[in-house]
Amino acid sequence: MSESKLAGQFFDAAIGLLQRVRDEEAANIAAAGVAIADTVAAGGRLFAFGAGHSSLAAQDVVYRAGGLALMNLLAVPGVVGVDVMPATLGSALERVEGLAGAVLDSSPARSGDVLVIISLSGRNALPVEMAMNARALGLKVIGVTSVAYARETRSRHVSGTFLRDHCDIVLDSKIAVGDAELTHEGIEAPFAPASTVVTSALMQATMASAAESLVERGIEPPLLRSGNVDGGHEWNGRVMGEYGDRIFFHH
């Protein structure tokens, strides 16, 4: 069977975007890594939030082999995935004002912690208010978004602002409005989104930067090992025990 021309074009598009964020966002990734390392070193806690498919990149750094054990998912019921029925309800909940404040107020997040907010468009009420409320509570906010949306679309929040307007550090995924990399004759809609690939790479690069910053200070990064390698469970048990008061996805 001959190889797919469109599959190759998608890989080329994704690789091009990854090269752009590597080169153009290097300073911001380093700053985000330092902010996370600062919080770990100071005894603070780490949280990640994303709605809809943006939640995939948040989930990718929580309870993950090779990842920081202290990264917790800040979950909003009904918006973290497509398991809610109907799936369109998740999109609707992203536009509900006041939801972010209620979630933060009932979460363990507190002043001095870091919250990474992932939203491709950054235009809906939920990520905008999540950032606004988090900063009001004294959290440091890292936003992972496509700045193109702030230039080319209108905010859906009453303030007229976007996620990027309420962050201490912004990581720009460079994803074009519409999140579809390919077009083809005979196919009416653009297709092949790359935001998950690029945003997940940004998150993992940031975690690597944080680990680098920690070890430069003489602090062993609290990393998890795979449970599928010998000694992994024992290693993870030690890390969970040492940092248990800052990990909220287990009891």
Side-chain angles (χ1 to χ4, degrees):
M1 182 180 293
S2 62
E3 63 184 51
S4 167
K5 177 182 177 182
L6 290 177
Q9 287 180 2
F10 175 76
F11 280 116
D12 289 343
I15 290 167
L17 284 163
L18 289 170
Q19 289 175 330
R20 279 193 67 195
V21 297
R22 179 196 64 192
D23 297 340
E24 297 174 19
E25 295 301 301
N28 293 327
I29 291 169
V34 168
I36 289 171
D38 286 346
T39 301
V40 172
R45 293 86 60 80
L46 309 173
F47 298 89
F49 165 77
H53 286 93
S54 290
S55 73
L56 296 174
Q59 295 177 57
D60 193 46
V61 295
V62 175
Y63 189 49
R64 182 66 190 263
L68 289 173
L70 273 61
M71 184 60 75
N72 300 278
L73 185 68
L74 185 66
V76 179
V79 306
V80 291
V82 293
D83 56 333
V84 62
M85 293 293 288
T88 49
L89 176 59
S91 297
L93 288 172
E94 286 187 63
R95 305 179 190 184
V96 174
E97 295 181 12
L99 181 57
V103 169
L104 276 170
D105 288 345
S106 60
S107 80
R110 66 189 184 195
S111 179
D113 293 344
V114 163
L115 173 59
V116 183
I117 301 176
I118 305 166
S119 175
L120 177 61
S121 74
R123 67 192 297 230
N124 290 309
L126 187 54
V128 171
E129 291 187 356
M130 189 71 76
M132 294 173 71
N133 281 273
R135 290 181 92 184
L137 290 172
L139 279 76
K140 177 158 283 191
V141 176
I142 300 169
V144 186
T145 187
S146 170
V147 172
Y149 279 84
R151 292 193 299 259
E152 301 174 31
T153 70
R154 296 180 63 181
S155 171
R156 290 190 176 125
H157 187 249
V158 64
S159 69
T161 61
F162 288 76
L163 168 61
R164 72 161 192 176
D165 299 315
H166 306 285
C167 299
D168 297 284
I169 301 166
V170 175
L171 305 181
D172 182 6
S173 64
K174 318 293 181 181
I175 299 294
V177 173
D179 191 19
E181 293 301 316
L182 302 182
T183 57
H184 190 67
E185 185 178 354
I187 302 176
E188 293 194 22
F191 55 100
S195 61
T196 304
V197 173
V198 176
T199 304
S200 291
L202 271 169
M203 290 297 293
Q204 294 297 349
T206 299
M207 297 304 108
S209 180
E212 181 180 26
S213 184
L214 283 167
V215 78
E216 286 174 349
R217 308 170 195 214
I219 300 172
E220 181 184 352
L223 297 168
L224 296 173
R225 290 182 181 267
S226 171
N228 297 313
V229 298
D230 292 341
H233 286 298
E234 292 77 12
W235 172 280
N236 292 343
R238 178 182 65 79
V239 174
M240 294 286 196
E242 184 175 349
Y243 292 95
D245 61 333
R246 298 153 73 180
I247 300 171
F248 303 101
F249 50 77
H250 79 117
H251 297 288

